[in-house]
C-alpha cells in the first residue's frame, strides 16, 4: 500500500499543489459533477455503499475537458498563437476543441478511423479541424507529432502532460469534498493521465484509500507495463471502451500509476457491455464503454471483497459520449446472446 513516502517519490512529476492550482484555474469553466449513491450497485456488489462520480455530466460529456482546459490556460501567448494540435479517439478531442473555442485558440485534432462518428461530429461542431488518420489511437498520436513538427503547432498531449494530469486530478479533490471517508475508488485507465491525477490527489490526503485501475482485456498497455516494470505495448483487439484504447501508457503517467495505484484489474467486452446496459437501465446513466469500466469490475467481482464489502466505494463514470446505434446493438446483444456483433 502506498504511503506518504511513496507519494513523495512522484512529486517531481505531479504533486497536490499542481492539482489544487488546476482546480482554481479551471473553475471558471468546468463543472463540479455529482457524486450519487447507486442503490442498485450497493445491493448487487457485496453489500457495499457504492457511489458513482458522474463525469458524463461534465462539459463535452467527459472528464477530459478538465485536463485540456487546464493545459490550454497555461499556454504562453506564442504557443497559443501558433494554434494547438492533439490526438484523440474523441473525448480529449472535444475538450481541446471546446477549450479552444472558449479561449480563442485555433485547434486541430487527429482522430483514428475507429473514432465514433458522434465524437467526430461533436469535435468539429466545437470548431476544431478534424484530421482522420490511422487505424488506431497510437497511429493518430504518431501523426500528431509529425504534423506539429511540420506546421509549428503546439501539442496538447491527451495524457502525458503535467497540466493535463493535474486537471484530471481535480476529480479526486471533488470526491474527497463529498465523501471524505471513501475507502475504495475505481478509475478507468488508458494512457494514465486520469488515473495519475486522481491517485495523486487521493493518496496525498489519505494513503490508505484503495485505488483500483480498470482496463479492457483487449487493450491494457498500463497493466502490462506495471506487470513488466517498464513501458510495454498491448493491443489485442477492438474494445467497447474506446476512450481507453491506448496501447502504450505515457512516460510521465506510468511511474505515478506504478508507484501509487494499488491494483489494476481487467474486464472483458461482455462485462463492459453488461455494465453499460445496467447503468442505462437500472441507474438511468448513459455511459460510454470506458465510463462503464469501474461498474463492470464491480459487477464481475474483480476486486477482493475486503476492499468492497461494507465499504464506501466510488466508481468513476468517466464519460457518456456513445453512439446511439452502439447502445442499441449492446441492448440487442443481451436480448439475443448468440449475436456477437457489438463492435
Amino acid at each position: 500500500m502506498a504511503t506518504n513516502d511513496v507519494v513523495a517519490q512522484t512529486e517531481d512529476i505531479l504533486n497536490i499543489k499542481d492539482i489544487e492550482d488546476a482546480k482554481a484555474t479551471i473553475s471558471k469553466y468546468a463543472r463540479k459533477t455529482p457524486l450519487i449513491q447507486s442503490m442498485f450497485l450497493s445491493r448487487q456488489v457485496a453489500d457495499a455503499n457504492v457511489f458513482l462520480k458522474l463525469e458524463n455530466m461534465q462539459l463535452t460529456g467527459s472528464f477530459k475537458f478538465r485536463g485540456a482546459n487546464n493545459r490550454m490556460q497555461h499556454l504562453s501567448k506564442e504557443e497559443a498563437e501558433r494554434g494547438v494540435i492533439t490526438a484523440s479517439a474523441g473525448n480529449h478531442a472535444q475538450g481541446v476543441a471546446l477549450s479552444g473555442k472558449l479561449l480563442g485558440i485555433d485547434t486541430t485534432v487527429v482522430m483514428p478511423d475507429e473514432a465514433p462518428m458522434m465524437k467526430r461530429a461533436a469535435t468539429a461542431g466545437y470548431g476544431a479541424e478534424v484530421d482522420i488518420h490511422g487505424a488506431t489511437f497510437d497511429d493518430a498520436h504518431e501523426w500528431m507529432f509529425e504534423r506539429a513538427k511540420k506546421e509549428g503547432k503546439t501539442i496538447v498531449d491527451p495524457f502525458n502532460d503535467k497540466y493535463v494530469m493535474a486537471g484530471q486530478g481535480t476529480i479526486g479533490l471533488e470526491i474527497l469534498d463529498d465523501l471524505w471517508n471513501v475507502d475504495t475508488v475505481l478509475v478507468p485507465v488508458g494512457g494514465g493521465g486520469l488515473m495519475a491525477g486522481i491517485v495523486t490527489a487521493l493518496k496525498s490526503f489519505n494513503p490508505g484509500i484503495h485505488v483500483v485501475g480498470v482496463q479492457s482485456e483487449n487493450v491494457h498497455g498500463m497493466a502490462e507495463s506495471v506487470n513488466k516494470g517498464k513501458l510495454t505495448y498491448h493491443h489485442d483487439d477492438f474494445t467497447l471502451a474506446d476512450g481507453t484504447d491506448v496501447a502504450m501508457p505515457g512516460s510521465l503517467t506510468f511511474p505515478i500509476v506504478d508507484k501509487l495505484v494499488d491494483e489494476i484489474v481487467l474486464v472483458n467486452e461482455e462485462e463492459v457491455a453488461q455494465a453499460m446496459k445496467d447503468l442505462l437501465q437500472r441507474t438511468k446513466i448513459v455511459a460510454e464503454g470506458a465510463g462503464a469500466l469501474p461498474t463492470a469490475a464491480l459487477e464481475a467481482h474483480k476486486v477482493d471483497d475486503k476492499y468492497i464489502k461494507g465499504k464506501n466505494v466510488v466508481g468513476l463514470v468517466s464519460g457518456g459520449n456513445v453512439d446511439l446505434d452502439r447502445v442499441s446493438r449492446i441492448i440487442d446483444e443481451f436480448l439475443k446472446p448468440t449475436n456477437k456483433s457489438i463492435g
Side-chain angles (χ1 to χ4, degrees):
M1 181 176 292
T3 65
N4 284 326
D5 290 338
V6 176
V7 174
Q9 292 179 33
T10 62
E11 286 186 347
D12 58 331
I13 304 173
L14 180 72
N15 59 60
I16 191 62
K17 185 178 184 304
D18 296 324
I19 298 171
E20 290 171 339
D21 288 347
K23 182 179 179 181
T25 298
I26 69 175
S27 61
K28 179 180 177 181
Y29 300 109
R31 296 171 178 161
K32 179 178 180 180
T33 54
L35 182 74
I36 64 165
Q37 184 168 7
S38 168
M39 302 311 296
F40 166 68
L41 288 173
S42 295
R43 290 193 306 271
Q44 184 177 357
V45 181
D47 195 26
N49 303 311
V50 178
F51 298 82
L52 297 173
K53 177 64 170 169
L54 302 183
E55 280 296 292
N56 60 317
M57 298 183 69
Q58 186 54 262
L59 292 180
T60 72
S62 163
F63 76 93
K64 285 284 192 176
F65 177 77
R66 296 174 184 260
N69 189 262
N70 189 49
R71 180 66 188 93
M72 290 174 70
Q73 288 203 61
H74 281 89
L75 295 175
S76 68
K77 182 179 179 181
E78 180 186 1
E79 289 173 328
E81 287 177 347
R82 295 204 307 264
V84 303
I85 187 168
T86 193
S88 169
N91 286 336
H92 179 69
Q94 293 173 72
V96 169
L98 179 56
S99 294
K101 184 174 182 179
L102 293 170
L103 301 171
I105 300 172
D106 289 336
T107 57
T108 300
V109 178
V110 184
M111 304 180 77
D113 292 335
E114 64 187 9
M117 292 303 300
M118 67 87 61
K119 293 183 179 182
R120 300 186 196 188
T123 302
Y126 290 126
E129 174 197 339
V130 175
D131 178 4
I132 305 299
H133 185 93
T136 68
F137 165 79
D138 296 275
D139 297 329
H141 199 227
E142 184 176 347
W143 178 238
M144 172 194 76
F145 287 109
E146 292 184 28
R147 273 201 65 175
K149 185 176 181 179
K150 291 177 181 178
E151 301 174 23
K153 295 182 182 295
T154 302
I155 292 173
V156 177
D157 196 88
F159 50 83
N160 206 42
D161 181 282
K162 180 180 78 168
Y163 293 111
V164 170
M165 291 187 285
Q168 324 305 23
T170 60
I171 298 169
L173 298 182
E174 290 181 10
I175 290 172
L176 292 167
D177 284 344
D178 289 340
L179 190 68
W180 65 269
N181 57 342
V182 61
D183 297 299
T184 301
V185 179
L186 292 88
V187 180
V189 179
L194 173 65
M195 175 56 95
I198 289 180
V199 73
T200 298
L202 295 175
K203 297 283 189 179
S204 293
F205 283 94
N206 180 2
I209 298 172
H210 191 75
V211 181
V212 182
V214 189
Q215 293 197 284
S216 164
E217 289 182 359
N218 287 352
V219 186
H220 54 265
M222 183 65 82
E224 196 73 5
S225 296
V226 170
N227 288 338
K228 296 286 180 62
K230 62 181 181 179
L231 289 174
T232 305
Y233 180 97
H234 182 278
H235 192 292
D236 280 347
D237 203 351
F238 164 87
T239 177
L240 285 169
D242 57 88
T244 58
D245 190 354
V246 181
M248 180 84 78
S251 59
L252 299 179
T253 63
F254 167 65
I256 297 175
V257 173
D258 186 42
K259 288 183 171 63
L260 301 187
V261 174
D262 295 286
E263 60 177 316
I264 300 177
V265 300
L266 306 180
V267 294
N268 63 40
E269 294 304 297
E270 288 72 22
E271 288 163 345
V272 176
Q274 180 69 57
M276 293 175 71
K277 175 178 174 287
D278 287 344
L279 284 169
L280 180 62
Q281 186 173 37
R282 301 303 299 270
T283 66
K284 316 309 174 190
I285 294 169
V286 176
E288 59 189 274
L293 287 172
T295 296
L298 288 170
E299 291 188 326
H301 301 282
K302 295 297 177 80
V303 181
D304 193 301
D305 274 357
K306 69 182 179 181
Y307 300 113
I308 303 295
K309 189 172 183 178
K311 304 291 187 180
N312 291 326
V313 178
V314 173
L316 176 63
V317 181
S318 56
N321 295 319
V322 58
D323 285 331
L324 293 180
D325 65 336
R326 178 171 288 180
V327 174
S328 177
R329 278 180 282 166
I330 288 167
I331 293 172
D332 187 57
E333 162 75 5
F334 283 90
L335 292 174
K336 300 177 182 178
T338 58
N339 173 16
K340 298 301 180 183
S341 179
I342 60 174

